[in-house]
Amino acid sequence: MTGFAILKDENVSYLDQHLLDEKGLLKVVSADFLKSFPIKHIQLWGNKNGVYCFPTTELIEWLKLKIAKRKAIEICAGNGAISRVLGIIGTDSYIQTTPEMITYYQVMGQKPISPPNDIYKFEANEAVDHFKPQVVVAAYATQKYIVGDEGPPKIGSSVYGVDELLMLPKIQTYINIGNDVSHHDKRIRKYPFEIYRFDWLFTRSLDQSKNHICLWNN
């Protein structure tokens, strides 16, 4: 599979004291601070702790500018670090807390996400319908599966994914943080969007140069 590789396992638990607060929640740190550690350790730690995107202070400030005081929520919030620091509502489907998904991720050697108590349990479109935001923020949100995605060519999607085509007309702005390897084939890319790349954007993807933020405006 293109872009697929396995990181050699190492003990990276020393990063706990740097990346988790006293409650065990993911902290927001500067990009320079993350750069002080080996990137493979950051990626491996993310894999071991159910973290896909590392919210830097620079990312938070950029998001604040793009939200511009409008009503915003985060979907697929997971650990909730982004929404918590932004002071917006964080939502998640909690799908990774189900027994079958816990088993799946354990078999894959990954830690499933167990959202903290301040993250509301909503499927993405249900969250949009309920909270009626103008802006939706998401990091590593997988799109909804439709018949034929298994290929060829294989389209990145999940039966538990977000129906972004349904969601987009309901909001003013959709901000999606991802990586070209995992998210290059999103269906909503048929609509005009802006793409940004920054050296302060960190994910657990193997190729950090392909990290991006895509933004759709209605």
Side-chain angles (χ1 to χ4, degrees):
M1 182 184 299
T2 302
F4 178 80
I6 298 176
L7 286 172
K8 181 181 178 181
D9 193 20
E10 297 182 55
N11 184 356
V12 293
S13 59
Y14 75 93
L15 287 172
D16 292 359
Q17 62 182 313
H18 301 293
L19 301 180
L20 298 177
D21 65 16
E22 64 280 359
K23 296 181 180 179
L25 298 175
L26 183 64
K27 292 196 294 189
V28 174
V29 298
S30 71
D32 283 343
F33 185 72
L34 285 181
K35 290 175 184 177
S36 68
F37 303 105
I39 186 58
K40 288 187 177 180
H41 285 190
I42 297 294
Q43 294 163 331
L44 189 56
W45 188 89
N47 188 68
K48 289 174 176 286
N49 288 274
V51 174
Y52 292 80
C53 175
F54 294 84
T56 59
T57 52
E58 293 86 350
L59 172 61
I60 297 301
E61 290 306 311
W62 188 90
L63 289 172
K64 286 180 180 177
L65 290 174
K66 292 299 180 181
I67 292 172
K69 298 183 179 180
R70 291 176 293 171
K71 185 176 182 180
I73 67 170
E74 183 183 12
I75 60 169
C76 308
N79 55 66
I82 292 175
S83 53
R84 191 173 300 113
V85 176
L86 284 174
I88 65 175
I89 291 170
T91 70
D92 194 275
S93 67
Y94 279 66
I95 189 61
Q96 292 189 24
T97 65
T98 61
E100 60 271 23
M101 294 304 288
I102 290 174
T103 300
Y104 170 79
Y105 279 97
Q106 287 175 341
V107 170
M108 294 290 290
Q110 300 179 23
K111 182 178 179 178
I113 298 172
S114 182
N117 293 334
D118 60 345
I119 301 303
Y120 292 88
K121 186 177 181 180
F122 281 95
E123 182 276 328
N125 270 282
E126 291 176 348
V128 170
D129 293 340
H130 182 82
F131 293 107
K132 295 179 172 51
Q134 296 163 294
V135 182
V136 169
V137 178
Y140 267 68
T142 302
Q143 66 184 344
K144 186 80 172 177
Y145 166 86
I146 63 172
V147 176
D149 283 353
E150 55 273 18
K154 187 179 186 304
I155 302 297
S157 63
S158 168
V159 293
Y160 304 110
V162 180
D163 190 337
E164 294 170 318
L165 289 173
L166 177 64
M167 181 181 70
L168 203 59
K170 302 175 184 178
I171 58 177
Q172 291 179 2
T173 303
Y174 180 37
I175 304 172
N176 190 283
I177 305 161
N179 183 278
D180 292 343
V181 174
S182 304
H183 306 106
H184 67 281
D185 51 7
K186 279 185 174 289
R187 296 182 183 88
I188 54 174
R189 285 195 170 198
K190 69 182 181 180
Y191 299 114
F193 68 98
E194 302 164 14
I195 188 166
Y196 302 88
R197 302 183 193 276
F198 303 103
D199 65 357
W200 44 252
L201 192 57
F202 284 80
T203 73
R204 76 183 199 189
S205 294
L206 291 175
D207 191 345
Q208 296 294 294
S209 70
K210 294 183 178 180
N211 291 336
H212 64 238
I213 305 176
C214 292
L215 186 150
W216 285 262
N217 276 315
N218 283 327

